[in-house]
């Protein structure tokens, strides 16, 4: 029997990572940050001197992606490509742009599919991304789609990056978020759309604790905890 999966999809800054981490911790389940795989693929292209527009070469990079995720003592997850720490580089706005550019290439998505499904191990998996509920784990017993207004999401990202010591501009972040939403939603393969059976939570005016409480209620209703 396959381990259960809870999928958490939605646009950038909707709170997917935050809620998925909290849920995986609470349940004692594994966590898949699928966006990190696309981010590392984009970064690997920069390192290897491959253009994001060279689809065949990018897919080759994705197929052989030597990536590792290691939990640091601080609780942070260190992401390495060929042993080189790329944790910081992949979280910049350029990292997000690279991820969403390579993520629109069908052969890249195909190359990363099995790797994502391998994360499905007992006792269960919380999977964070754009197409977790629609393409990667369509049979998941519980699916969430988190969203919030672009302005609210840009504001959240701004505060997060400032705390990390990055120098960022709010209008620029809002522009980036809108651009990435448009690219992610309009691509022909695995576009960003809620699965038909997803529970949609708009957190524009809802704090993290309240969103988490709503999520836990559904998890309990489903008998998953
Ligand atoms: N409901 C919320 N209200 C306010 N801030 C939030 C909420 N959800 C998440 N955040 C904050 O917004 C930022 C982005 O959240 P994150 O989980 O990284 O989003 P995503 O994974 O969807 O891109 C984080 O700093 C997080 O603490
Ligand atoms: N399952 C996924 C996850 C991410 N992605 C792409 O990767 C980019 C970065 O994803 P992310 O989840 O790390 O980004 P944020 O939502 O944290 O900003 C997204 O803009 C998508 O284009 C995807 O196509 N499919």
């Amino acid at each position: 029997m396959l381990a259960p999966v809870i999928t958490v999809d939605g646009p950038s800054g909707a709170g997917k990572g935050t809620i998925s981490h909290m849920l995986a911790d609470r349940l004692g389940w594994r966590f898949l940050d699928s966006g990190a795989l696309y981010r590392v693929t984009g970064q690997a292209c920069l390192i290897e001197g491959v253009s994001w527009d060279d689809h065949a070469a990018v897919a080759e990079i994705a197929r052989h992606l030597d990536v590792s995720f290691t939990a640091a003592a601080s609780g942070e997850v260190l992401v390495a490509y060929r042993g080189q720490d790329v944790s910081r580089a992949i979280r910049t706005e350029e990292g997000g742009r690279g991820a969403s550019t390579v993520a629109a290439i069908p052969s890249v998505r195909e190359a990363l599919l099995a790797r994502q499904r391998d994360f499905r191990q007992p006792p269960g998996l919380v999977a964070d991304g754009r197409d977790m509920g629609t393409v990667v784990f369509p049979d998941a017993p519980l699916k969430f789609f988190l969203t919030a207004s672009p302005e609210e999401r840009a504001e959240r990202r701004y505060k997060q990056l400032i705390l990390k010591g990055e120098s960022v501009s709010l209008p620029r972040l809002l522009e980036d978020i809108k651009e990435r939403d448009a690219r992610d939603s309009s691509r022909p393969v695995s576009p960003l759309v809620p699965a038909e059976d997803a529970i949609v939570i708009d957190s524009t005016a809802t704090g993290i604790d309240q969103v988490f409480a709503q999520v836990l209620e559904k998890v309990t209703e489903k008998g998953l905890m």
Side-chain angles (χ1 to χ4, degrees):
M1 244 248 303
L2 281 171
V5 185
I6 297 176
T7 59
V8 184
D9 290 306
S12 181
K16 303 179 300 294
T18 307
I19 294 293
S20 302
H21 267 296
M22 290 166 78
L23 187 56
D25 275 355
R26 176 67 67 93
L27 296 171
W29 289 10
R30 299 186 79 192
F31 169 66
L32 165 62
D33 178 358
S34 62
L37 292 173
Y38 291 99
R39 286 175 183 269
V40 174
T41 302
Q43 189 63 28
C45 291
L46 296 180
I47 293 171
E48 307 295 353
V50 163
S51 158
W52 293 335
D53 298 326
D54 184 346
H55 294 190
V58 181
E60 195 58 17
I61 295 251
R63 267 190 287 277
H64 302 287
L65 200 67
D66 175 3
V67 59
S68 64
F69 299 95
T70 320
S74 62
E76 251 180 290
V77 176
L78 292 180
V79 185
Y81 169 69
R82 288 178 64 188
Q84 179 180 334
D85 186 355
V86 292
S87 319
R88 205 182 163 94
I90 62 167
R91 298 290 162 205
T92 60
E93 280 310 294
E94 192 198 17
R97 227 175 0 259
S100 102
T101 305
V102 301
I105 306 171
S107 51
V108 168
R109 304 201 73 86
E110 184 62 37
L112 295 176
L113 197 55
R115 200 188 279 259
Q116 294 173 79
R117 289 187 174 147
D118 284 348
F119 277 77
R120 187 175 196 168
Q121 304 278 343
L125 175 69
V126 180
D128 159 353
R130 298 291 186 288
D131 61 342
M132 299 295 99
T134 50
V135 175
V136 183
F137 304 109
D139 62 330
L142 186 58
K143 302 176 184 179
F144 293 99
F145 189 90
L146 304 187
T147 188
S149 71
E151 289 74 18
E152 168 67 18
R153 290 185 282 119
E155 186 91 30
R156 290 178 189 172
R157 194 59 91 211
Y158 179 76
K159 288 186 192 149
Q160 194 180 31
L161 291 171
I162 290 286
L163 273 178
K164 280 190 189 167
E166 308 271 343
S167 67
V168 281
S169 114
L170 184 57
R172 181 87 207 277
L173 277 177
L174 180 58
E175 211 175 289
D176 267 350
I177 279 206
K178 286 182 172 168
E179 213 177 276
R180 196 133 66 86
D181 282 357
R183 199 183 302 124
D184 289 352
S185 307
S186 67
R187 68 184 175 217
V189 283
S190 304
L192 170 65
V193 281
E196 271 179 20
D197 48 349
I199 297 160
V200 179
I201 302 178
D202 185 323
S203 70
T204 305
T206 315
I208 295 172
D209 291 345
Q210 238 177 306
V211 174
F212 191 51
Q214 287 180 44
V215 164
L216 285 185
E217 201 181 304
K218 298 293 178 191
V219 174
T220 307
E221 269 174 34
K222 274 278 171 195
L224 292 168
M225 66 179 267

